[in-house]
Amino acid sequence: MHELSIVMSIIDIAAEQAKKANADVVEEIELDIGELSGIEQNAFDFAWQQAVKDSVLSHAQLIINKIPGEGLCLECNRRFPMHQLYDACPDCGQYFISIQQGKELKVKSLVVT
Amino acid sequence: MCATCGCDSNGQVSIHEVNGHDHSHEHDHAHDHHHHDHDHNRKVIDVEQDVLYQNNLLAQRNRGYFEAKNILALNLVSSPGSGKTTLLEKTLQDVKTDLSCYVIEGDQQTNNDADRIHATGTPVVQINTGKGCHLDAHMILHALQHMKPKENAVMFIENVGNLVCPAMFDLGESARVVIASVTEGDDKPLKYPDMFHSSHVCIINKIDLLPYVPFNVETFIENAKKVNPSLEFIEVSAYKGDGLNNWYNWLKQKVQQAAAV
């Protein structure tokens, strides 16, 4: 359940940013979460509900941009959608893949008042 | 639980030096609500910050510390019961004349593992994460402050037994060692790909039990290589001693490589 640690880190980032901006309410928070980031969505949602209570994010609207996984085959240079870390190249069947996209886990923006 | 250092809900992670004084290490993590004078305009802040930024920053500090002191730091990860502590005990007994070793033990509760390591004569610090399911870079930073390891050494960090959560948290280690035992399924690397993806070497433990369990070493290695084609494998029985020399050779080779940098 590392999702709880992740949510707590997000709350810390939001609190720091809100303080810097001299704001006390975060209306909206936008996150990028990649398909291959290791975050389990249900666990994340559960952790979120519990953890944001009494935090700067308690009333914030949560927007999650799900970033699809994309791999680059190091054997044949094919780019392809990657859903699992063990997906093989659909052309040559090799597993030497460089992940181009989908590992994202970041706070993109906040709307504060 | 605190995000940066994994403190449990009471805000307390405890770090104990086994053999010596106990240090309870408290953090206050009040997430204050700041009331300032300000205008009430709606404002968009482009944050663009990695959620693990703080951990990664501290991990890089640890890595610099290890490199400056020429310490090979190994993050040992596995599911509970794979034989991490037994492997470590055996290793410490067998290599202590050749290598100077230190151990950081991570468990949710108890000093049991640290007591076992202490019995081998190796300096050890126990981190109890409370409800936390993984070690993070902040805890290692504090453990190092307690431990003050000497130069030219090997630091074994035994993570909390968990094949999922520790994968995301860089501790500043030189290499990540995942331990799997043959009493687990040979499809483990596919079920828990993140851990195998982020590891450098995989120790397959309890090979003395192979005649009794439906575990196919080749299938396991094939599955792990799908997730991480550059993963190295070492087959051992920490209990019986089979294959341990290969592991010790790997260790000594890594120590030499670190010294050559």
Side-chain angles (χ1 to χ4, degrees), chain B residues 126-148:
Chain B
Q126 174 82 49
I127 301 174
N128 285 136
T129 57
K131 300 284 185 288
C133 47
H134 56 265
L135 293 177
D136 64 32
H138 191 182
M139 297 178 200
I140 300 305
L141 189 83
H142 288 304
L144 292 173
Q145 286 166 348
H146 283 289
M147 199 170 225
K148 300 184 180 66

Side-chain angles (χ1 to χ4, degrees), chain B residues 9-178:
Chain B
S9 49
N10 299 320
Q12 200 173 54
V13 159
S14 54
I15 297 180
H16 311 275
E17 263 171 86
V18 174
N19 180 35
H21 5 274
D22 270 12
H23 298 275
S24 248
H25 170 66
E26 289 187 33
H27 296 283
D28 286 326
H29 290 278
H31 297 283
D32 318 17
H33 299 275
H34 304 277
H35 298 282
H36 310 281
D37 291 325
H38 58 87
D39 56 33
H40 284 268
N41 292 335
R42 207 163 175 273
K43 189 174 163 191
V44 179
I45 308 172
D46 286 322
V47 183
E48 297 285 346
Q49 187 175 326
D50 200 307
V51 173
L52 290 168
Y53 171 77
Q54 197 63 30
N55 183 74
N56 293 341
L57 201 66
L58 293 172
Q60 288 302 351
R61 277 178 58 171
N62 292 344
R63 187 164 282 118
Y65 177 92
F66 290 133
E67 283 176 7
K69 287 184 152 264
N70 192 28
I71 292 172
L72 176 74
L74 300 176
N75 183 3
L76 308 183
V77 293
S78 81
S79 41
S82 66
K84 278 196 302 299
T85 314
T86 302
L87 176 71
L88 207 45
E89 276 178 311
K90 213 38 178 248
T91 304
L92 295 168
Q93 282 158 5
D94 292 346
V95 304
K96 68 181 172 192
T97 49
D98 302 327
L99 302 171
S100 158
C101 298
Y102 294 86
V103 176
I104 296 172
E105 276 290 337
D107 285 293
Q108 288 198 322
Q109 302 292 344
T110 83
N111 283 347
N112 294 355
D113 283 0
D115 290 341
R116 286 169 63 183
I117 298 304
H118 176 55
T120 69
T122 309
V124 56
V125 165
Q126 174 82 49
I127 301 174
N128 285 136
T129 57
K131 300 284 185 288
C133 47
H134 56 265
L135 293 177
D136 64 32
H138 191 182
M139 297 178 200
I140 300 305
L141 189 83
H142 288 304
L144 292 173
Q145 286 166 348
H146 283 289
M147 199 170 225
K148 300 184 180 66
K150 295 202 171 68
E151 295 189 349
N152 307 313
V154 181
M155 173 71 68
F156 294 98
I157 304 168
E158 186 180 339
N159 218 311
V160 178
N162 179 334
L163 212 46
V164 184
C165 307
M168 286 180 86
F169 296 86
D170 184 9
L171 305 180
E173 69 265 27
S174 328
R176 191 171 286 190
V177 181
V178 59

